[in-house]
PDB file of all heavy atoms in Angstrom:
ATOM      1  N   GLN I 110     137.448  43.371  41.059  1.00 89.00           N
ATOM      2  CA  GLN I 110     136.157  43.057  40.479  1.00 89.00           C
ATOM      3  C   GLN I 110     135.249  42.460  41.537  1.00 89.00           C
ATOM      4  O   GLN I 110     135.636  41.523  42.234  1.00 89.00           O
ATOM      5  CB  GLN I 110     136.323  42.079  39.320  1.00 89.00           C
ATOM      6  CG  GLN I 110     134.991  41.756  38.651  1.00 89.00           C
ATOM      7  CD  GLN I 110     135.167  40.879  37.421  1.00 89.00           C
ATOM      8  OE1 GLN I 110     136.211  40.301  37.226  1.00 89.00           O
ATOM      9  NE2 GLN I 110     134.128  40.797  36.611  1.00 89.00           N
ATOM     10  N   CYS I 111     134.066  42.999  41.599  1.00 90.00           N
ATOM     11  CA  CYS I 111     133.085  42.459  42.516  1.00 90.00           C
ATOM     12  C   CYS I 111     132.487  41.184  41.925  1.00 90.00           C
ATOM     13  O   CYS I 111     132.050  41.193  40.780  1.00 90.00           O
ATOM     14  CB  CYS I 111     131.991  43.490  42.768  1.00 90.00           C
ATOM     15  SG  CYS I 111     130.628  42.837  43.722  1.00 90.00           S
ATOM     16  N   PRO I 112     132.482  40.095  42.670  1.00 87.00           N
ATOM     17  CA  PRO I 112     131.963  38.835  42.130  1.00 87.00           C
ATOM     18  C   PRO I 112     130.445  38.835  41.984  1.00 87.00           C
ATOM     19  O   PRO I 112     129.894  37.957  41.333  1.00 87.00           O
ATOM     20  CB  PRO I 112     132.414  37.796  43.161  1.00 87.00           C
ATOM     21  CG  PRO I 112     132.565  38.558  44.425  1.00 87.00           C
ATOM     22  CD  PRO I 112     133.006  39.937  44.034  1.00 87.00           C
ATOM     23  N   VAL I 113     129.803  39.796  42.560  1.00 89.00           N
ATOM     24  CA  VAL I 113     128.345  39.807  42.517  1.00 89.00           C
ATOM     25  C   VAL I 113     127.838  40.644  41.344  1.00 89.00           C
ATOM     26  O   VAL I 113     127.068  40.180  40.515  1.00 89.00           O
ATOM     27  CB  VAL I 113     127.766  40.344  43.837  1.00 89.00           C
ATOM     28  CG1 VAL I 113     126.246  40.367  43.787  1.00 89.00           C
ATOM     29  CG2 VAL I 113     128.244  39.484  44.999  1.00 89.00           C
ATOM     30  N   CYS I 114     128.300  41.879  41.222  1.00 91.00           N
ATOM     31  CA  CYS I 114     127.799  42.756  40.157  1.00 91.00           C
ATOM     32  C   CYS I 114     128.751  42.815  38.976  1.00 91.00           C
ATOM     33  O   CYS I 114     128.458  43.464  37.983  1.00 91.00           O
ATOM     34  CB  CYS I 114     127.527  44.154  40.707  1.00 91.00           C
ATOM     35  SG  CYS I 114     128.987  45.007  41.318  1.00 91.00           S
ATOM     36  N   LYS I 115     129.902  42.140  39.086  1.00 91.00           N
ATOM     37  CA  LYS I 115     130.879  42.027  38.000  1.00 91.00           C
ATOM     38  C   LYS I 115     131.515  43.360  37.618  1.00 91.00           C
ATOM     39  O   LYS I 115     132.149  43.460  36.576  1.00 91.00           O
ATOM     40  CB  LYS I 115     130.255  41.402  36.735  1.00 91.00           C
ATOM     41  CG  LYS I 115     129.480  40.133  36.988  1.00 91.00           C
ATOM     42  CD  LYS I 115     130.351  39.034  37.545  1.00 91.00           C
ATOM     43  CE  LYS I 115     129.531  37.756  37.707  1.00 91.00           C
ATOM     44  NZ  LYS I 115     130.230  36.753  38.493  1.00 91.00           N
ATOM     45  N   ALA I 116     131.305  44.356  38.411  1.00 90.00           N
ATOM     46  CA  ALA I 116     131.922  45.647  38.118  1.00 90.00           C
ATOM     47  C   ALA I 116     133.416  45.567  38.392  1.00 90.00           C
ATOM     48  O   ALA I 116     133.849  44.949  39.364  1.00 90.00           O
ATOM     49  CB  ALA I 116     131.288  46.732  38.967  1.00 90.00           C
ATOM     50  N   ILE I 119     136.356  48.776  41.009  1.00 85.00           N
ATOM     51  CA  ILE I 119     135.673  49.347  42.149  1.00 85.00           C
ATOM     52  C   ILE I 119     136.280  48.807  43.432  1.00 85.00           C
ATOM     53  O   ILE I 119     136.994  47.819  43.426  1.00 85.00           O
ATOM     54  CB  ILE I 119     134.155  49.036  42.123  1.00 85.00           C
ATOM     55  CG1 ILE I 119     133.933  47.524  42.042  1.00 85.00           C
ATOM     56  CG2 ILE I 119     133.494  49.761  40.972  1.00 85.00           C
ATOM     57  CD1 ILE I 119     132.498  47.153  42.257  1.00 85.00           C
ATOM     58  N   LYS I 120     135.976  49.459  44.506  1.00 82.00           N
ATOM     59  CA  LYS I 120     136.510  49.023  45.782  1.00 82.00           C
ATOM     60  C   LYS I 120     135.727  47.800  46.264  1.00 82.00           C
ATOM     61  O   LYS I 120     134.504  47.842  46.365  1.00 82.00           O
ATOM     62  CB  LYS I 120     136.402  50.142  46.820  1.00 82.00           C
ATOM     63  CG  LYS I 120     137.227  51.345  46.443  1.00 82.00           C
ATOM     64  CD  LYS I 120     137.447  52.258  47.628  1.00 82.00           C
ATOM     65  CE  LYS I 120     136.169  52.950  48.045  1.00 82.00           C
ATOM     66  NZ  LYS I 120     136.423  53.950  49.113  1.00 82.00           N
ATOM     67  N   VAL I 121     136.453  46.742  46.516  1.00 83.00           N
ATOM     68  CA  VAL I 121     135.825  45.528  47.018  1.00 83.00           C
ATOM     69  C   VAL I 121     136.413  45.183  48.380  1.00 83.00           C
ATOM     70  O   VAL I 121     137.253  44.309  48.521  1.00 83.00           O
ATOM     71  CB  VAL I 121     135.998  44.343  46.041  1.00 83.00           C
ATOM     72  CG1 VAL I 121     135.029  44.456  44.886  1.00 83.00           C
ATOM     73  CG2 VAL I 121     137.404  44.258  45.492  1.00 83.00           C
ATOM     74  N   LYS I 133     134.884  38.822  48.739  1.00 87.00           N
ATOM     75  CA  LYS I 133     134.996  40.272  48.868  1.00 87.00           C
ATOM     76  C   LYS I 133     134.081  40.907  47.839  1.00 87.00           C
ATOM     77  O   LYS I 133     134.192  40.639  46.654  1.00 87.00           O
ATOM     78  CB  LYS I 133     136.441  40.702  48.630  1.00 87.00           C
ATOM     79  CG  LYS I 133     137.373  40.232  49.725  1.00 87.00           C
ATOM     80  CD  LYS I 133     138.348  41.319  50.081  1.00 87.00           C
ATOM     81  CE  LYS I 133     139.135  40.932  51.313  1.00 87.00           C
ATOM     82  NZ  LYS I 133     139.426  42.099  52.136  1.00 87.00           N
ATOM     83  N   VAL I 134     133.203  41.733  48.324  1.00 90.00           N
ATOM     84  CA  VAL I 134     132.243  42.361  47.435  1.00 90.00           C
ATOM     85  C   VAL I 134     132.273  43.864  47.631  1.00 90.00           C
ATOM     86  O   VAL I 134     132.867  44.372  48.582  1.00 90.00           O
ATOM     87  CB  VAL I 134     130.809  41.827  47.693  1.00 90.00           C
ATOM     88  CG1 VAL I 134     130.751  40.326  47.458  1.00 90.00           C
ATOM     89  CG2 VAL I 134     130.347  42.162  49.094  1.00 90.00           C
ATOM     90  N   CYS I 135     131.636  44.564  46.705  1.00 90.00           N
ATOM     91  CA  CYS I 135     131.599  46.015  46.810  1.00 90.00           C
ATOM     92  C   CYS I 135     130.532  46.428  47.823  1.00 90.00           C
ATOM     93  O   CYS I 135     129.720  45.623  48.275  1.00 90.00           O
ATOM     94  CB  CYS I 135     131.350  46.637  45.448  1.00 90.00           C
ATOM     95  SG  CYS I 135     129.709  46.330  44.783  1.00 90.00           S
ATOM     96  N   LYS I 136     130.559  47.698  48.126  1.00 89.00           N
ATOM     97  CA  LYS I 136     129.695  48.176  49.197  1.00 89.00           C
ATOM     98  C   LYS I 136     128.202  47.983  48.913  1.00 89.00           C
ATOM     99  O   LYS I 136     127.491  47.467  49.770  1.00 89.00           O
ATOM    100  CB  LYS I 136     130.013  49.651  49.467  1.00 89.00           C
ATOM    101  CG  LYS I 136     129.365  50.185  50.712  1.00 89.00           C
ATOM    102  CD  LYS I 136     129.880  51.594  50.971  1.00 89.00           C
ATOM    103  CE  LYS I 136     129.322  52.134  52.272  1.00 89.00           C
ATOM    104  NZ  LYS I 136     129.860  53.482  52.556  1.00 89.00           N
ATOM    105  N   PRO I 137     127.710  48.405  47.741  1.00 91.00           N
ATOM    106  CA  PRO I 137     126.281  48.193  47.478  1.00 91.00           C
ATOM    107  C   PRO I 137     125.886  46.725  47.471  1.00 91.00           C
ATOM    108  O   PRO I 137     124.766  46.382  47.872  1.00 91.00           O
ATOM    109  CB  PRO I 137     126.053  48.842  46.102  1.00 91.00           C
ATOM    110  CG  PRO I 137     127.358  49.236  45.585  1.00 91.00           C
ATOM    111  CD  PRO I 137     128.361  49.210  46.688  1.00 91.00           C
ATOM    112  N   CYS I 138     126.801  45.864  47.009  1.00 90.00           N
ATOM    113  CA  CYS I 138     126.468  44.445  46.988  1.00 90.00           C
ATOM    114  C   CYS I 138     126.444  43.865  48.389  1.00 90.00           C
ATOM    115  O   CYS I 138     125.633  43.002  48.687  1.00 90.00           O
ATOM    116  CB  CYS I 138     127.448  43.679  46.109  1.00 90.00           C
ATOM    117  SG  CYS I 138     127.146  43.949  44.355  1.00 90.00           S
ATOM    118  N   ARG I 139     127.323  44.341  49.236  1.00 89.00           N
ATOM    119  CA  ARG I 139     127.265  43.844  50.608  1.00 89.00           C
ATOM    120  C   ARG I 139     125.926  44.196  51.237  1.00 89.00           C
ATOM    121  O   ARG I 139     125.298  43.386  51.914  1.00 89.00           O
ATOM    122  CB  ARG I 139     128.399  44.421  51.454  1.00 89.00           C
ATOM    123  CG  ARG I 139     128.435  43.816  52.830  1.00 89.00           C
ATOM    124  CD  ARG I 139     129.258  44.618  53.796  1.00 89.00           C
ATOM    125  NE  ARG I 139     128.711  45.969  53.960  1.00 89.00           N
ATOM    126  CZ  ARG I 139     128.973  46.762  54.967  1.00 89.00           C
ATOM    127  NH1 ARG I 139     129.810  46.356  55.907  1.00 89.00           N
ATOM    128  NH2 ARG I 139     128.476  47.956  55.042  1.00 89.00           N
ATOM    129  N   LYS I 147     120.194  40.159  46.842  1.00 84.00           N
ATOM    130  CA  LYS I 147     121.120  39.593  45.878  1.00 84.00           C
ATOM    131  C   LYS I 147     121.734  38.352  46.497  1.00 84.00           C
ATOM    132  O   LYS I 147     121.729  38.200  47.709  1.00 84.00           O
ATOM    133  CB  LYS I 147     122.265  40.581  45.556  1.00 84.00           C
ATOM    134  CG  LYS I 147     121.910  41.626  44.547  1.00 84.00           C
ATOM    135  CD  LYS I 147     123.167  42.404  44.168  1.00 84.00           C
ATOM    136  CE  LYS I 147     122.846  43.508  43.183  1.00 84.00           C
ATOM    137  NZ  LYS I 147     124.068  44.264  42.824  1.00 84.00           N
TER     138      LYS I 147
HETATM  139 ZN1   ZN G 409     129.196  44.502  43.591  1.00 72.30          ZN
END
Side-chain angles (χ1 to χ4, degrees):
Q110 182 175 15
C111 173
V113 180
C114 63
K115 311 298 183 192
I119 56 170
K120 297 197 290 186
V121 282
K133 292 222 171 215
V134 300
C135 68
K136 190 173 184 178
C138 285
R139 186 196 61 161
K147 278 188 182 180

